[in-house]
Amino acid sequence: MPISDWSQQPPWKPVLSGVGGRLREKQDGSKMVKLSDVVSSSRRKSRKNHFSATSVQRHKIMSSHLNKELREKYQVRSVPVRKDDEVSVVRGTYKGREGKVVAVYRKKWVIHIERITREKVNSATVNVGIDPSKVIITKLKLDKDRKALLERKQGSKDADKGKGKFTEKEVQAMQDVD
């Protein structure tokens, strides 16, 4: 049978959906498509990359959501936590507690918040490490780098909103060309 007669994919090639996808079979027998060849879907590799991340990568991973007022003001959902931000804990044992970030401990993947401490056996007080995903930022410490980050993130969102849309002037210009 000539190739031009085939209405579909040749019978020896599997039909793939997705961009650059690879067909994989799950343990339950159903088929799964891997959409990107560049990124591994291996749990082992993901964990290795996560725990061996550099300090710069950890900075980005250790981000927290902004509260509603800040989100509306800056049109940004989350930013990396930094020292002197004011946060509110929304999950876990310390839920409802608020305070200023004393330290961002990237090596241990935690942040330390003032007034959230515990007493050791020898009666010394130590900061309790809290995961940044369990807090909401209520007040940002703004400096020039932070402002630039917010503008950059906001600009990319604005660019996506107008993506593929024609303005009235462009539509009029296209009609005038004909």
Side-chain angles (χ1 to χ4, degrees):
M1 158 170 36
I3 295 175
S4 60
D5 291 347
W6 287 338
S7 58
Q8 297 174 353
Q9 193 85 346
W12 60 85
K13 287 192 176 179
V15 177
L16 301 177
S17 61
V19 181
R22 293 244 165 98
L23 207 58
R24 281 195 333 143
E25 196 165 321
K26 288 186 183 176
Q27 287 179 341
D28 62 356
S30 63
K31 303 284 186 208
M32 183 176 109
V33 176
K34 183 178 167 204
L35 296 178
S36 175
D37 288 333
V38 180
V39 181
S40 174
S41 59
S42 165
R43 183 171 187 267
R44 178 197 292 185
K45 290 179 183 178
S46 295
R47 284 178 57 81
K48 183 184 179 201
N49 288 335
H50 179 78
F51 291 111
S52 63
T54 63
S55 181
V56 174
Q57 292 166 333
R58 286 176 187 232
H59 167 71
K60 190 168 185 180
I61 294 169
M62 292 177 68
S63 295
S64 291
H65 285 287
L66 300 177
N67 67 357
K68 286 185 181 177
E69 293 83 36
L70 291 175
R71 197 183 310 164
E72 287 171 7
K73 184 177 178 182
Y74 297 110
Q75 280 95 41
V76 173
R77 182 174 290 275
S78 65
V79 292
V81 180
R82 66 161 287 177
K83 187 178 173 181
D84 295 331
D85 281 345
E86 288 185 21
V87 296
S88 175
V89 182
V90 292
R91 294 273 187 283
T93 312
Y94 302 99
K95 180 177 180 178
R97 305 276 287 280
E98 293 185 17
K100 190 179 277 193
V101 176
V102 178
V104 179
Y105 204 154
R106 292 184 193 167
K107 190 173 183 181
K108 288 191 175 180
W109 297 96
V110 295
I111 59 173
H112 292 157
I113 302 168
E114 71 181 9
R115 296 192 306 273
I116 299 184
T117 57
R118 61 182 286 268
E119 199 169 298
K120 287 171 66 173
V121 179
N122 65 0
S123 71
T125 57
V126 290
N127 288 315
V128 176
I130 295 182
D131 193 291
S133 67
K134 308 300 181 203
V135 301
I136 286 182
I137 300 173
T138 55
K139 189 175 179 188
L140 287 169
K141 166 87 159 84
L142 288 174
D143 59 355
K144 62 179 177 68
D145 294 329
R146 206 81 180 283
K147 285 177 183 173
L149 172 85
L150 290 169
E151 286 174 16
R152 209 167 48 240
K153 287 185 93 169
Q154 194 175 21
S156 68
K157 248 188 179 176
D158 292 341
D160 287 345
K161 281 184 182 175
K163 197 173 189 179
K165 303 279 192 276
F166 291 114
T167 61
E168 292 290 331
K169 291 178 182 176
E170 289 173 335
V171 171
Q172 195 65 32
M174 285 189 273
Q175 288 175 348
D176 294 341
V177 170
D178 292 337

